[in-house]
């Protein structure tokens, strides 16, 4: 039954490895990991955008992907996410258009507004404007990539001249998604006519509510709900559930510690901003899960366990409504050999149960 369902699998690369690894070697490892996952048969490689800290330092995913596109022809390229308020949207549209021509694979571009005061302060932007910046940036991207002359007058972004983007984008090759972290943001993303992209940190019942809310609003607007719905989920595969959980207790707390450091609020941070109350609650959960004794609820929604357990978790995500799973084995301090072992086991012992052609239809 599971094998008949339409589901695809991607994988995440990140600037991570053992503590003390140089940035040059982190980037070398990312590129090697992209080639490795491509060889295993994953359809899309995904990465994140972050600045100014040890937390996934990747300031330009599109620049990275222009290199990977040449090394891995046909591999899909995905962002989780581009933080559009930090970019000039006209320039960003031009870079997306270029990448759509350079890549033989599809572009899956998740867009988000970000939540780290550090990054907003460093870019001299106000976090309280993030929602409006995100909405305006998306409208400009959408207009620019239509291939027609346009102008735009917003509160934060302006395109004062009638301009037409060059080069002409391969628009059918570009798929956008809006980041959703709660049912509230699901409504807004649906109102912007964006499909959802999520991360697998919330209980399954909350994730079901997120997708149901998005689908309801989309239908009310006459939109299409039969779209790709990606979700990013951490993955540790071992011979037994106990072994996988021991590995999770060893490696996951450091990931959450770096999140706490990276997202810590300042005097003007999200706790005082109404739109960011859900992010403030997430930040408190990160603090809790920096202690391995508190990982239980998180581990229950991750791909942690024996191959059998991981297959059962994948099925739960499919039942929730996701159809594009991003396998995350690259988190801080995890050595390359270990993350590759998990990625290989997923490709061999999990993915074929849901996609019999996995790894066989090379582009």
């Amino acid at each position: 039954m599971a094998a008949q369902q339409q589901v695809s699998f991607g994988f995440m690369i990140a600037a991570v490895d053992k503590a003390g690894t140089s940035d040059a070697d982190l980037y070398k490892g990312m590129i090697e990991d992209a080639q490795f996952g491509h060889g295993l048969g994953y359809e899309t490689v995904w990465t994140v955008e972050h600045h100014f800290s040890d937390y996934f330092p990747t300031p330009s995913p599109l620049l990275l992907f222009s290199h990977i596109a040449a090394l891995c022809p046909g591999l899909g390229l995905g962002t989780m996410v581009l933080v559009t308020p930090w970019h000039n949207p006209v320039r960003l549209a031009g870079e997306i258009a270029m990448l759509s021509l350079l890549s033989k694979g599809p572009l899956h571009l998740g867009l988000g507004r970000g939540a780290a005061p550090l990054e907003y302060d460093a870019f001299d932007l106000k976090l309280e404007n993030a929602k409006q910046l995100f909405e305006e940036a998306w409208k400009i991207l959408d207009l620019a990539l239509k291939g027609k002359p346009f102008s735009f007058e917003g509160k934060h972004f302006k395109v004062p001249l009638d301009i037409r983007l060059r080069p002409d984008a391969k628009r059918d090759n570009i798929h956008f998604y809006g980041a959703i972290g709660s049912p509230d943001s699901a409504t807004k993303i649906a109102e912007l006519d964006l499909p959802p992209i999520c991360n697998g940190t919330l209980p399954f019942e909350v994730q079901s509510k997120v997708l149901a809310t998005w689908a309801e609003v989309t239908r009310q607007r006459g939109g299409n709900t039969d779209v790709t719905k990606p979700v990013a989920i951490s993955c540790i595969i071992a011979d037994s559930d106990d072994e996988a959980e021991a590995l999770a207790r060893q490696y996951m707390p450091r990931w959450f510690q770096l999140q706490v450091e990276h997202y810590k609020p300042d005097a003007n941070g999200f706790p005082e901003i109404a739109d960011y109350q859900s992010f403030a609650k997430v930040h408190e959960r990160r603090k809790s899960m920096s202690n391995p004794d508190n990982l239980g609820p998180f581990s229950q929604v991750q791909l942690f366990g024996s191959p059998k357990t991981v297959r059962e978790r994948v099925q739960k995500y499919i039942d929730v409504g996701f159809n594009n799973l991003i396998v995350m084995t690259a988190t801080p301090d995890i050595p390359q050999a270990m993350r590759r072992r998990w990625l290989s086991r997923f490709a061999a012992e999990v993915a074929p149960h849901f996609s019999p052609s996995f790894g066989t239809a090379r582009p």
Side-chain angles (χ1 to χ4, degrees), residues 18-29:
K18 295 177 289 186
T21 302
S22 70
D23 286 348
D25 284 337
L26 292 179
Y27 277 63
K28 179 175 178 284

Side-chain angles (χ1 to χ4, degrees), residues 71-255:
L71 294 174
C72 305
L75 180 62
L77 308 171
T79 59
M80 45 185 280
V81 295
L82 290 173
V83 186
T84 54
W86 303 338
H87 296 266
N88 178 301
V90 177
R91 184 177 182 87
L92 182 61
E95 293 176 355
I96 291 169
M98 284 185 66
L99 186 59
S100 76
L101 301 180
L102 295 172
S103 173
K104 293 182 180 179
L107 307 186
H108 294 279
L109 302 179
L111 309 177
R113 53 179 164 147
L118 163 67
E119 288 163 306
Y120 270 88
D121 290 349
F123 286 121
D124 196 25
L125 296 169
K126 294 186 181 298
L127 191 56
E128 55 264 36
N129 294 332
K131 184 177 179 182
Q132 288 181 322
L133 286 164
F134 175 78
E135 293 174 12
E136 291 184 12
W138 163 238
K139 291 175 183 177
I140 292 172
L141 287 176
D142 191 37
L143 285 169
L145 291 166
K146 291 182 186 299
K148 299 178 181 179
F150 77 100
S151 60
F152 184 84
E153 181 74 21
K155 181 178 179 181
H156 301 283
F157 292 120
K158 294 177 174 59
V159 184
L161 300 177
D162 247 12
I163 58 169
R164 180 176 176 275
L165 193 70
R166 293 295 303 276
D168 291 325
K170 190 162 50 174
R171 189 61 183 87
D172 291 345
N173 205 40
I174 306 170
H175 311 277
F176 287 107
Y177 310 88
I180 297 178
S182 69
D184 290 341
S185 56
T187 297
K188 176 51 64 178
I189 293 302
E191 290 173 347
L192 292 173
D193 298 322
L194 281 165
I197 183 170
C198 303
N199 62 61
T201 59
L202 298 172
F204 287 114
E205 59 270 20
V206 178
Q207 297 191 53
S208 294
K209 185 178 179 181
V210 164
L211 289 191
T213 300
W214 174 85
E216 180 182 0
V217 176
T218 297
R219 282 192 293 267
Q220 290 172 355
R221 295 173 55 81
N224 179 21
T225 60
D226 185 18
V227 296
T228 301
K229 305 181 188 76
V231 59
I233 320 160
S234 293
C235 177
I236 298 175
I237 299 184
D239 291 336
S240 69
D241 291 351
D242 288 344
E243 182 185 353
E245 186 58 30
L247 288 165
R249 289 174 60 88
Q250 179 180 352
Y251 287 109
M252 291 297 105
R254 179 56 180 158
W255 182 33

